[in-house]
Amino acid sequence: MAMTINTNVVSINAQRNLGLSGGSLSTSMQRLSSGLRVNSAKDDAAGLAIAERMSTQVRGFAVASRNANDGISLAQTAEGALGKVGDMLQRMRELAVQSGNATNSKSDREALNAELVQLRSEVDRVAKTTSFNGSKLLDGGFTGGVFQVGANAGDNITVGALADTRADKLGQASYATASATVDATAKDAARDAMTNASVTITVSGADGVGVTVQIAKDENVTSEEALGRFIEAVNSKTADTGVTAFLADDGKSIEYRATVGEGQTAASAQVAGIAGFAATGTAAGSVGIDKMDIKTQAGAWESLQRIDSAIDKVNSARAELGAIQTRFEKSIENIDIMQENISAARGRITDADFAKETANLSRTQILQQAGTAMVAQANQLPQNVLKLLQ
């Protein structure tokens, strides 16, 4: 190797190695101070791209989990309100059952009806005011609710609609009504018929099949007793026909009500056998507990039809909300698992291995010290040329 002054190759080499160890030392210190193996794209370009995509997923899952929890809160709000609506409907049903009893006077039924009206108004108010974050839940307006429960587009749970529990939309009732005017002539005719012989009447319900009932002969029957026995005979076959007869409070008419059987869309009520009491009527269904009152026995009967339907609707809606809550909870559990696994995968790419980095730090620190010493030694080499000039 030639002895030169202007170009100190040994010093240049030592400086280069010192720079390399310095860069490695800087990288190790950066990783140890940040805890990250990838601090910039130059550390691992491909790893950074993959890790950033994973970060997008992790952060999206975190928000999706909060969304699902908000969905649970919404369902709980609606279900809680429906629970109180159900309680009020149960009380209304108690009132209707009580009003249907013959021991009540007209004033008794009016008092019962007054409480029912207040409960009905409260059901309507709850339906119209129950809301979550400004959105009404039970007035029929909450439809097509899409809950984002994932990190990507299309990861959703959709609620088609929440039950409309307003008073005019709650309580489907399908039944037939018919009535017969009861005057003195009709009562006397019934008395005469029962005095002379057994009387057979025919009662037909929604299925159109007639059921015959025989009223026994009684020579001592009065006009009022004949009326009572006729009503008793009709109602003795209610389980078979679905037809119930009620004597109006003023005693001037008989009201017939017929239920609708399974698979039937309309009801009919037909009672024949005694001309003055015979009646035929049909009616389609209607919706709304706002249309009911329990001021009469017939009204109490109709109210039970509507209230039972309303209770079924509320119970079904609560069951659906309970199922939705369970689905949200399972969705959250799945989100948490995915978030955990993707976070672990991202960590394996970006997180620094402290055991490895501390070992590298020690190595590069020694190399730095050695490199510095070697540069100093290399810088002294040109002085050897002076010995040639002595």
Side-chain angles (χ1 to χ4, degrees), residues 16 29 65 81 94 97 109 172 189 205 207 217 236 240 258 372:
R16 179 176 63 81
M29 294 182 71
S65 180
E94 291 176 1
V97 172
R109 291 194 178 96
Q172 172 73 42
D207 58 4
K217 175 183 175 180
S236 69
D240 299 319
T372 301

Side-chain angles (χ1 to χ4, degrees), residues 74-92 119 122-123 126-127 130 137-138 163 165 170 310-322 325:
L74 182 145
Q76 288 174 335
T77 300
E79 198 273 331
L82 286 175
K84 302 314 295 181
V85 169
D87 291 343
M88 288 185 281
L89 288 172
Q90 292 287 2
R91 176 54 183 164
M92 291 164 70
L119 290 170
E122 181 61 13
V123 167
V126 169
T130 299
L137 301 180
L138 302 178
T165 57
L170 188 64
I311 290 174
D312 287 342
K313 182 176 181 179
V314 169
N315 290 341
S316 177
R318 292 185 68 185
E320 290 178 4
L321 286 168
Q325 290 180 56

Side-chain angles (χ1 to χ4, degrees), residues 197-202 211-217 229 233 236-237:
S198 297
V199 176
T200 300
I201 63 174
T202 301
V211 176
T212 60
V213 187
Q214 192 173 69
I215 303 174
K217 175 183 175 180
R229 291 183 184 181
S236 69
K237 295 298 181 180

